[in-house]
Amino acid sequence: MLEGLMIGLQTAINPFNLGMVIFGCIIGTFIGMLPGLGPMSIIAIMIPVAITLGDPTAALILLAGVYYGAIFGGSTSSILLNAPGVAGTVATSFDGYPMARKGQAGKALTIAAISSFMGGTIGAILLMIFAPMLSSVALLFHSAEYFALMVVGLSAIAAFAGTGQVGKAVMMTILGLMMATVGEGALAAMPRFTAGILDLQSGFSFITLAMAMFALPEALFLVMNPMRSAQGSGDDQSGKIDNLRINRTEARAIAPVIGRQSVQGFFIGVLPGAGATIASFLGYAVERNLATKEEQKEFGKGSVKGLAAPETANNAACTGSFVPLLTLGIPGSGTTAILLGALIALNVTPGPRLMVDEPQVFWAVIISMYIGNLVLLVLNLPLIPYIAKILAIPRNYLIPFILFFTLMGAYIGQNNATELLILVGFGVIATILRFADYPLAPLLIGFILGTMLEDNFSRSMQLYGGLDFILERPMTLGLLVLAALLVMLPTFRAARARNRAKGVADGD
């Protein structure tokens, strides 16, 4: 391994490759800041540029820099505009945006930058140590285990259900799962639930749904509630934007969160089909369940732990997703699938032989990840005061800006005008659901995980001829038991709190 590290270090610090790291990070960061333009879109655009470089190592370093740069920068639009264009930063908006609304935009961006840096850096170190070992662990996961893992991801609904809202959260999750069934099914390549609309044969677009659930209702709320618009104006918050530092109490609070979620996010990213999205949701759910009763009340209202957890987990998962890509040739997400296509176009065959046949590619990418995280931290921290000033824009000007990027992101995602109609329709429905106090995050979780859940469940049923795979595969059963415990834990804690309150009352 030491020999490989030296080869990777010599390759990565080559001036040209170093330039590719910096260029990729800059492009990825600024593209990630634009809602709707996620890493998949920009990597697809950058593949022709990467191929013209001629050097597979430099090309992969460039594309990898764009990838984690986009995840790193994706938190900005989630925090400032509540418009997550990347699935992995949806959970960031749950506490990041409330912090921005309270005049703590600079502090929220600082926490996001530090958490992203630490998650990516620790992930790169774990990748360096465990990549050869984890490649064999990833082979143990088959369709049955992936199905169970998706169920564990769905159990995160407990983290988004407030007191007495578990029923609403379950209903929204089921609605998201139903929406994921629109389009071609897993068992037969036949369109279903499309109402004869050709544009729905490929299903609903995640970007369109994310914009409809978060960005569009925010703009409509500002239009319908002039007092809120006035309260959120630049005149009200311009004096608070300079609060960029975190104090010792906040640093002590997020330190264990960053440590836990760096490890958890990395290992989730290693599993093909999991990736940054599941890692961020599970990270948020786990930290909320571990928090004290008083801290739980802050989640969704501007909790520093609720912001640090998904930001750390998604960046660590991005690094972890390179394990199945490089060691097995299995894409762990849509983005790494595009990277796999780029590798094949560059005549590089990822797999168990990559470390032996082309060690300079494998180890240079790992070393470049650590360098890239340093570049991203240096790039983002000095820019935070300027980025945060987006909130100083009067809300009457910010509303058209949000609407423009929302509509543009939805249209670019599918290059289809029908998406705009779907966006407006879902946006109106989401606004009504917000007025009725229904949580929207569970719907998005159900939609994102629904397709993977169905695909893996169908393959498991075909392979075992029924539900026997649950009992025949111990790892599957263990994951399903874990999911059940995650769902029941909030109910158990609530019952225990009621019993304590009753005991105190009886004692009085």
Side-chain angles (χ1 to χ4, degrees):
M1 188 178 75
L2 290 176
E3 184 182 351
L5 282 174
M6 292 306 298
I7 294 173
L9 184 61
Q10 290 175 358
T11 307
I13 62 174
N14 176 287
F16 182 73
N17 291 338
L18 209 54
M20 288 299 101
V21 172
I22 297 171
F23 180 65
C25 289
I26 292 173
I27 293 294
T29 299
F30 283 100
I31 293 298
M33 289 179 184
L34 301 176
L37 298 176
M40 289 181 64
S41 303
I42 188 58
I43 287 177
I45 294 170
M46 293 295 290
I47 283 178
V49 178
I51 292 175
T52 58
L53 296 176
D55 181 4
T57 304
L60 189 57
I61 285 174
L62 170 64
L63 295 176
V66 171
Y67 180 25
Y68 49 78
I71 298 295
F72 198 106
S75 60
T76 303
S77 59
S78 295
I79 290 171
L80 298 185
L81 301 177
N82 200 27
V86 182
T89 62
V90 170
T92 302
S93 63
F94 298 152
D95 283 284
Y97 186 68
M99 286 185 70
R101 295 291 303 170
K102 293 191 292 186
Q104 298 178 337
K107 180 177 290 189
L109 290 170
T110 300
I111 292 173
I114 293 172
S115 302
S116 299
F117 169 75
M118 293 303 299
T121 301
I122 296 174
I125 295 171
L126 292 174
L127 175 60
M128 176 183 67
I129 297 172
F130 292 108
M133 186 192 312
L134 292 176
S135 62
S136 59
V137 175
L139 287 172
L140 298 175
F141 270 68
H142 299 287
S143 297
E145 283 74 28
Y146 292 137
F147 159 72
L149 187 66
M150 299 306 115
V151 176
V152 173
L154 288 174
S155 67
I157 60 170
F160 307 104
T163 305
Q165 284 196 320
V166 176
K168 288 184 177 181
V170 171
M171 288 173 59
M172 296 299 287
T173 305
I174 294 172
L175 180 58
L177 290 170
M178 292 170 62
M179 293 174 66
T181 63
V182 175
E184 294 183 354
L187 294 175
M190 295 284 292
R192 57 189 180 174
F193 310 126
T194 60
I197 302 173
L198 293 177
D199 294 326
L200 291 182
Q201 285 193 359
S202 58
F204 296 114
S205 165
F206 156 75
I207 291 176
T208 301
L209 191 61
M211 296 294 179
M213 293 295 107
F214 293 96
L216 199 58
E218 182 61 30
L220 293 176
F221 262 58
L222 292 174
V223 171
M224 292 184 292
N225 190 349
M227 290 301 295
R228 182 181 178 188
S229 178
Q231 291 168 0
S233 66
D235 295 338
D236 182 58
Q237 296 195 17
S238 59
K240 302 179 183 179
I241 291 176
D242 58 355
N243 182 18
L244 305 176
R245 295 184 178 181
I246 58 175
N247 55 44
R248 289 186 179 181
T249 303
E250 291 165 337
R252 283 196 296 267
I254 66 174
V257 174
I258 290 174
R260 284 191 295 265
Q261 294 311 315
S262 294
V263 177
Q264 176 180 294
F266 174 78
F267 283 104
I268 291 174
V270 167
L271 303 174
T277 304
I278 294 178
S280 61
F281 283 132
L282 280 180
Y284 189 91
V286 167
E287 292 304 326
R288 186 182 185 278
N289 286 331
L290 290 177
T292 63
K293 186 176 180 181
E294 291 73 22
E295 290 174 335
Q296 284 185 5
K297 294 178 182 178
E298 290 298 315
F299 275 69
K301 300 177 183 178
S303 167
V304 293
K305 288 187 174 182
L307 174 57
E311 272 301 291
T312 305
N314 63 25
N315 280 270
C318 285
T319 307
S321 67
F322 278 82
V323 173
L325 176 68
L326 297 176
T327 60
L328 300 175
I330 300 173
S333 62
T335 307
T336 49
I338 296 176
L339 287 172
L340 177 62
L343 281 171
I344 295 171
L346 291 162
N347 296 318
V348 176
T349 304
R353 295 286 305 173
L354 182 63
M355 282 185 285
V356 177
D357 296 338
E358 300 188 68
Q360 75 281 1
V361 175
F362 182 84
W363 292 107
V365 170
I366 294 177
I367 297 296
S368 74
M369 287 181 180
Y370 181 74
I371 298 173
N373 276 286
L374 284 174
V375 171
L376 288 168
L377 189 67
V378 172
L379 176 69
N380 280 268
L381 281 179
L383 292 178
I384 284 176
Y386 305 101
I387 296 171
K389 288 188 182 297
I390 291 176
L391 285 184
I393 302 173
R395 291 289 173 175
N396 352 342
Y397 300 119
L398 193 57
I399 291 170
F401 178 79
I402 295 174
L403 289 174
F404 171 75
F405 277 104
T406 301
L407 296 172
M408 185 185 73
Y411 182 78
I412 289 176
Q414 297 287 322
N415 197 25
N416 190 337
T418 307
E419 292 297 315
L420 300 179
L421 298 176
I422 295 172
L423 173 72
V424 173
F426 281 146
V428 172
I429 294 172
T431 305
I432 295 172
L433 289 172
R434 279 185 61 173
F435 272 118
D437 199 25
Y438 277 80
L440 298 178
L443 185 148
L444 208 57
I445 295 173
F447 177 78
I448 293 170
L449 302 184
T451 303
M452 295 185 285
L453 180 80
E454 182 188 8
D455 290 347
N456 288 294
F457 180 73
S458 300
R459 283 195 289 268
S460 301
M461 290 284 287
Q462 286 178 329
L463 185 62
Y464 288 88
L467 296 173
D468 295 341
F469 69 89
I470 295 177
L471 298 177
E472 291 183 15
R473 302 190 66 85
M475 197 181 301
T476 302
L477 182 61
L479 287 170
L480 291 176
V481 170
L482 174 62
L485 291 175
L486 287 174
V487 171
M488 292 187 295
L489 184 60
T491 305
F492 170 75
R493 296 178 76 165
R496 187 175 63 177
R498 284 196 300 270
N499 290 335
R500 284 181 178 176
K502 183 179 179 181
V504 171
D506 292 342
D508 292 339

